[in-house]
Amino acid sequence: MTVVGKSPDCYVAVIGAGPYGLSAAAYLRAARVETLVFGEPMAFWQNQMPAGMCLRSNWGASHIADPQRELTLDEYCRQNGNHILKPIPLERFVDYGRWYQGQVVPDLDKRHVRSVEADARGFKLFMADGEEVTSRRVVVAAGISAFATRPPGFSSIPSALASHTSEHNDLRTFHGQRVVVIGAGQSALEFAALLKEAGVQVEVIARTKTLNWVGLHPRLHHLGGISKMLYSTRDVGPAGISRLVAMPHLFRRFPRRFQDRTAYRAIRPAGASWLQSRIAGVPITLGRKVVSAAVAGSQLRLRLDDGTERLVDHALLATGFRVDVSRYPFLSQSLLKQLETVDGFPVLNRGLESSIPGLHFLGKPAAWSFGPLLGFVSGAEFASNELIRSITRNNGSN
Ligand SMILES: Cc1cc2nc3c(=O)[nH]c(=O)nc-3n(C[C@H](O)[C@H](O)[C@H](O)COP(=O)(O)OP(=O)(O)OC[C@H]3O[C@@H](n4cnc5c(N)ncnc54)[C@H](O)[C@@H]3O)c2cc1C
């Protein structure tokens, strides 16, 4: 189907060139929808995750979806004559994403979108260099970077002493320091492993009473038909739940309380089982909360709820990301006023379209409406299919 661009610049503008933006572009362009894509390719993965990290998702859940299923990790390896170890190293995934971008959006516009406003013809996007682009629709695929969460007790601590994990990709900064990692998810445990391996003195402190691990029962994945009944290839959540969250249209029909509880169980803080041996020997304090943080000379004094203290050079806050689309700096106040949200998430309908016609959200912001799958690379196939169906269906009326 050919969609003729009716707006001056393009029919769809995609903000963000991570897995979701790139996948959406592949589907849109395959359907010959006039599409422009903005942003540095794979920038979040390249700049805001630690060098040396590996993906927690398995191989089958780490392909960036394309309509012909041609741009898989396997095809990337075949074309580039190389082999990727498992778990997938971060730098290889970034390289795969850039290869994918070269195949699908060689004309990617790497500029940053400074702001988006409604316009009589749809939307007006203002680039960081001042140029304006108009588009009938806007697809926000801008990821979670804007939603990094710092616990309130750390708000006045300078970033030289306490920083969010997403502020780091080079852990050499911590050489010779004493570091506390706060959190118990994959990010916390992987930072702890990488710091320990770099010879940094590190301790993990978390509120949870026990650490949760993913992938402790590999045999369950090798039981043929039974495994297929228990686990979806999307690799989000434990046995059974994995299947349910892989069907977002079904998942969203359940009562909200059930959705919330199931989503939490699918993505609760947990580390990949291959991290267990790598953090052996790292002191881990569980069931404890940091109740205060104060600058002490060139160091940081942390007081825990058991009355003990830690004097450290740095606190790494592996405290995750909390979606709040009002923190996307490019959405204008007037758009935000019209946007229906719940707990910071946009309320989305079919096509991942928000209450503002023509404004779509992909990735984690879509998780309130379509479930936890949308927070992972493997959710991009669902998101892109939804988007393209809705856009090509609605095209006649636009
Ligand atoms: C440490 C860590 C490990 C993870 N491991 C996994 C994993 O193993 N498997 C998995 O599926 N998921 C993993 N995730 C989750 C991962 O972030 C998402 O799956 C993935 O990034 C979603 O892709 P995305 O395209 O929505 O977002 P992103 O990859 O973040 O892409 C969004 C892009 O938009 C760009 N952007 C933002 N604002 C603008 C703007 N105004 N103008 C232009 N560009 C803009 C950003 O620079 C960014 O490149 C991990 C997350 C973290 C933090």
Side-chain angles (χ1 to χ4, degrees):
M1 161 176 214
T2 302
V3 179
V4 179
K6 293 174 185 164
S7 61
D9 298 310
C10 63
Y11 189 78
V12 179
V14 178
I15 302 177
Y20 274 85
L22 293 173
S23 173
Y27 280 74
L28 288 162
R29 288 195 165 177
R32 297 210 257 148
V33 178
E34 212 179 5
T35 304
L36 293 178
V37 187
F38 298 95
E40 286 286 339
M42 301 299 283
F44 180 63
W45 295 79
Q46 167 75 39
N47 304 326
Q48 297 186 262
M49 294 189 195
M53 181 195 110
C54 290
L55 269 64
R56 194 178 90 178
S57 295
N58 66 29
W59 185 269
S62 303
H63 308 294
I64 303 176
D66 72 285
Q68 280 82 38
R69 301 193 175 185
E70 282 172 350
L71 304 177
T72 58
L73 278 162
D74 305 275
E75 184 58 18
Y76 158 74
C77 288
R78 202 187 62 75
Q79 284 195 21
N80 293 283
N82 55 28
H83 173 74
I84 300 184
L85 294 173
K86 296 171 194 167
I88 302 167
L90 172 66
E91 66 272 19
R92 304 306 304 278
F93 186 66
V94 170
D95 195 55
Y96 162 58
R98 290 189 175 147
W99 169 81
Y100 183 107
Q101 175 252 311
Q103 309 290 313
V104 168
V105 209
D107 58 336
L108 174 71
D109 188 329
K110 294 186 180 167
R111 286 179 299 175
H112 194 77
V113 176
R114 203 187 62 222
S115 70
V116 181
E117 284 174 9
D119 174 75
R121 294 157 296 180
F123 299 89
K124 225 185 312 193
L125 288 80
F126 297 88
M127 301 296 125
D129 60 11
E131 201 196 318
E132 265 178 52
V133 172
T134 50
S135 178
R136 182 65 53 126
R137 290 173 182 272
V138 167
V139 171
V140 177
I144 54 175
S145 170
F147 310 139
T149 309
R150 259 172 102 99
F154 288 87
S155 52
S156 62
I157 305 295
S159 58
L161 291 175
S163 54
H164 192 269
T165 44
S166 62
E167 292 173 52
H168 299 279
N169 70 343
D170 183 356
L171 299 190
R172 285 175 299 186
T173 333
F174 299 110
H175 186 72
Q177 296 198 355
R178 185 163 181 219
V179 176
V180 151
V181 176
I182 297 175
Q186 173 75 7
S187 200
L189 301 174
E190 195 155 20
F191 264 89
L194 292 165
L195 288 168
K196 174 196 145 187
E197 286 156 5
V200 174
Q201 222 188 320
V202 59
E203 176 183 0
V204 175
I205 299 176
R207 280 183 304 190
T208 176
K209 290 199 169 78
T210 48
L211 291 180
N212 299 309
W213 299 101
V214 176
L216 284 181
H217 308 291
R219 269 181 309 134
L220 285 178
H221 291 269
H222 296 100
L223 299 175
I226 296 176
S227 301
K228 280 195 179 147
M229 278 165 57
L230 296 176
Y231 293 102
S232 154
T233 52
R234 305 294 183 212
D235 194 25
V236 176
I241 287 178
S242 166
R243 275 265 158 223
L244 178 58
V245 302
M247 295 182 278
H249 283 308
L250 175 64
F251 184 74
R252 79 196 229 108
R253 297 171 86 116
F254 283 92
R256 173 51 53 183
R257 273 190 59 182
F258 174 85
Q259 286 187 47
D260 290 346
R261 265 187 300 182
T262 310
Y264 176 76
R265 182 60 189 87
I267 57 167
R268 68 180 182 180
S273 56
W274 44 261
L275 278 173
Q276 276 184 318
S277 57
R278 290 179 54 195
I279 59 164
V282 171
I284 299 179
T285 304
L286 297 176
R288 290 289 160 228
K289 214 162 68 178
V290 175
V291 288
S292 74
V295 177
S298 61
Q299 291 186 301
L300 185 66
R301 190 182 303 281
L302 303 175
R303 181 184 287 271
L304 275 56
D305 58 357
D306 60 0
T308 61
E309 288 189 349
R310 307 286 189 280
L311 189 62
V312 297
D313 299 302
H314 200 89
L316 257 179
L317 309 172
T319 40
F321 301 83
R322 193 183 166 84
V323 173
D324 177 358
V325 288
S326 69
R327 291 176 70 190
Y328 275 145
F330 53 85
L331 289 180
S332 69
Q333 284 306 314
S334 61
L335 281 181
L336 286 171
K337 256 189 222 149
Q338 293 173 56
L339 189 65
E340 190 191 343
T341 59
V342 174
D343 290 339
F345 287 85
V347 176
L348 305 179
N349 299 308
R350 292 204 82 125
L352 282 71
E353 190 166 14
S354 69
S355 55
I356 301 175
L359 183 63
H360 304 254
F361 288 84
L362 310 189
K364 183 83 174 172
W368 189 86
S369 298
F370 289 93
L373 177 68
L374 278 292
F376 293 84
V377 173
S378 59
E381 183 174 17
F382 168 80
S384 298
N385 269 314
E386 266 299 297
L387 182 70
I388 197 70
R389 251 185 249 131
S390 132
I391 285 184
T392 49
R393 195 186 317 121
N394 288 337
N395 179 47
S397 58
N398 281 318

